[in-house]
Every structure is written in C-alpha cells, then in structure tokens.
DNA sequence: CAGCTGACAAAGA
DNA sequence: ATCTTTGCCAGCT
C-alpha cells in the first residue's frame, strides 16, 4: 500500500516519531514490531541516518538494556542523555533509570 | 562487482 | 553464569 521505498527504514522513522515524550523504546522492540525480530541492527542503522531523514527523536531509542549506546552518534555524546533528562527520564551511567517504567512498546501503543 | 561494517538481540556451547 | 556466533537490512569501501 504505502508506496514507500525502504520499508524498514521508513517504518522505523515513523515509529520513532510516534514515541511520546518521556518515553523510550528499544531497537529490538521496533524491529519486532516491523517483523524483523533480529533486525535490531538495521533499526540502529536507520537511526544513523535519522538526522538525514528529518526530525527523528533518536534519543528516545536505546538498546534493550536501556543503555544509551547511540549517544556517541549525536552531536555531542551527552546530548542524548541531556535530552532524555529534559523529558523527565533519569539517566545514570549512560543507562536509563527505570527503563521498563518509561518503556514504550510500539506493538502496544501502535497498531499495524 | 563483491564484501564489510554497523547505534542490537537472542540462541548455542 | 559467561562467551561466541548468527541473523537482519542498508549503506560504504
């Protein structure tokens, strides 16, 4: 239906864009939501180009452990943590505190 | 043209 | 319990 070209990429961008403030999700959750449970890597790679795709809150996307693995890819390594703290998310040692409490599952809040 | 890398995750040994 | 290996998709060398 959607005549989009890179399904995965575009889908990832859409999902990440739907992440509400103060919420975070994991690469695997998005990948699983898109159908590629093991495609978490691709999701992360999509985030790499997120700054090119447009306004993608990639800072709300962390790995399964809640660790800010991609902080290094932001303008500044502490940019990601700062953005999360601004939304009310506590970050300790580059890890989201109460990650599960702020976890936002696309397959639960979103629908195919 | 072909192979490697990469912001992850889960299973096997 | 820890370490290693494979899978995923797209972009780069």
């Amino acid at each position: 239906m959607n005549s989009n070209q890179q399904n995965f990429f575009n889908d990832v961008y859409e999902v990440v864009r739907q992440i509400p403030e103060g919420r975070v999700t994991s690469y695997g959750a998005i990948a699983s939501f898109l159908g590629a449970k093991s495609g978490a890597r691709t999701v992360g790679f999509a985030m790499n180009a997120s700054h090119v795709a447009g306004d993608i809150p990639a800072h709300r996307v962390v790995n399964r452990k809640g660790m800010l693995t991609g902080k290094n890819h932001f303008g500044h390594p502490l940019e990601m943590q700062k953005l999360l703290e601004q939304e009310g998310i506590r970050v300790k040692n580059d890890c989201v505190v109460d990650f599960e409490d702020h976890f936002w599952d696309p397959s639960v809040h979103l629908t195919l």
Side-chain angles (χ1 to χ4, degrees), chain A residues 33-110:
Chain A
F33 174 65
L34 299 178
K37 60 176 185 167
S38 302
R41 277 181 114 188
T42 318
V43 176
F45 195 49
M47 309 267 78
N48 190 13
S50 63
H51 73 100
V52 177
D55 302 296
I56 311 294
H59 62 272
R60 291 183 191 146
V61 185
V62 293
N63 70 358
R64 202 191 172 293
K65 304 167 195 170
M67 189 184 279
L68 283 56
T69 44
K71 64 169 188 171
N72 210 2
H73 288 259
F74 281 76
H76 192 63
L78 298 180
E79 177 94 339
M80 189 174 186
Q81 178 175 337
K82 189 153 72 172
L83 288 167
L84 290 170
E85 289 185 317
Q86 284 179 18
E87 297 191 355
I89 298 174
R90 288 167 286 223
V91 179
K92 183 91 139 192
N93 195 14
D94 296 334
C95 295
V96 176
V97 181
D98 296 325
F99 171 62
E100 294 184 27
D101 188 53
H102 293 292
F103 186 71
W104 180 83
D105 194 337
S107 62
V108 172
H109 294 262
L110 270 162

Side-chain angles (χ1 to χ4, degrees), chain A residues 10-51:
Chain A
N10 208 303
D11 251 349
V12 173
Y13 295 143
E14 271 192 66
V15 174
V16 175
R17 263 187 224 163
Q18 307 317 307
I19 301 176
E21 263 182 42
R23 291 279 193 257
V24 281
T25 190
S26 62
Y27 303 95
I30 299 172
S32 180
F33 174 65
L34 299 178
K37 60 176 185 167
S38 302
R41 277 181 114 188
T42 318
V43 176
F45 195 49
M47 309 267 78
N48 190 13
S50 63
H51 73 100

